[in-house]
Amino acid sequence: MTTTQYLKWVKQRPYLQAGSEVHECMHRMADEARRITARINGEYHTAEELRHLFSKLTGKEVSEDFGLFPPFYTDCGKNITVGRHVFINSGCCFQDQGGISIGDDTLIGHQVVLATLNHDLLPSRRANMFPAPIVIGKGVWIGAHATVLPGVTIGDHAVVAAGAVVTKDVPANTVVAGVPAKRIKEITEPGI
């Protein structure tokens, strides 16, 4: 299975069996991601060099206004899509096999975890997985140490408070906080 075939296959949100051809493809992608993230994290790079390395990691060109403060960790890379003017702060971990999409003007805080895989609960099948994408809208701010779980969509201009664990969709223009994350308030701009 190729990376392109995997990316098409995973969009169906199938059950992923350990040891399968798909699982082996994931291991190959993880190996490539480790090589590239080792370069990103191993020494100083200019903003332009980081954009080049992140584009290589994702297989997609990122815009000139993309920002990344290393270290950055991922075990796939090829299923990350970022919009314009996205900033990812240091220490973030993206488990993107299930797909991560980040909208324009989004800020990702220190050590945020985006996880797109769940393991089977049955001990006999624990190594098997369920992939589900994370979709982050435009103008979102995710605070430091927050965790977003598989299948979650975060609406435009929402805020995820520091340390929150997001297990369910977050509506647009909403602030969520806590474990599990709950709605705290709505965001309204004066004059709009």
Side-chain angles (χ1 to χ4, degrees), residues 2-77:
T2 66
T3 299
T4 302
Q5 290 170 323
Y6 173 84
L7 295 175
K8 184 177 178 182
W9 177 86
V10 78
K11 285 183 181 180
Q12 301 166 30
R13 294 174 73 163
Y15 184 69
L16 198 158
Q17 288 193 298
S20 66
E21 179 185 10
V22 174
H23 197 227
E24 293 303 316
C25 180
M26 287 173 59
H27 282 284
R28 288 192 306 275
M29 289 187 294
D31 190 50
E32 180 182 354
R34 283 193 305 274
R35 281 195 299 274
I36 297 169
T37 56
R39 289 184 61 201
I40 289 171
N41 300 333
E43 61 184 80
Y44 172 80
H45 296 283
T46 66
E48 182 179 345
E49 291 168 337
L50 286 170
R51 285 191 298 273
H52 171 75
L53 287 167
F54 198 85
S55 294
K56 186 173 181 168
L57 177 67
T58 63
K60 302 168 197 84
E61 199 66 34
V62 294
S63 65
E64 299 228 351
D65 51 19
F66 171 79
L68 172 69
F69 283 2
F72 176 80
Y73 305 97
T74 184
D75 48 7
C76 181

Side-chain angles (χ1 to χ4, degrees), residues 140-159:
V140 171
W141 173 23
I142 301 178
H145 296 275
T147 298
V148 181
L149 297 182
V152 168
T153 295
I154 299 174
D156 292 349
H157 310 291
V159 175

Side-chain angles (χ1 to χ4, degrees), residues 33 37-38 40-41 54 57 66-77 80 82 86-96 100 102 106-115 134 136 141-148:
T37 56
I40 289 171
N41 300 333
F54 198 85
L57 177 67
F66 171 79
L68 172 69
F69 283 2
F72 176 80
Y73 305 97
T74 184
D75 48 7
C76 181
I80 299 171
V82 297
V86 168
F87 175 71
I88 301 170
N89 219 324
S90 62
C92 290
C93 298
F94 288 13
Q95 180 196 53
D96 64 290
I100 294 172
I102 302 171
T106 290
L107 304 172
I108 310 286
H110 291 90
Q111 298 182 343
V112 166
V113 173
L114 303 179
I134 292 172
I136 299 169
W141 173 23
I142 301 178
H145 296 275
T147 298
V148 181

Side-chain angles (χ1 to χ4, degrees), residues 15 44 59 70 86 99 126 138 144 179 188-189:
Y15 184 69
Y44 172 80
V86 168
R126 187 68 44 88
K138 295 184 275 186
V179 180
T188 56
E189 285 202 49

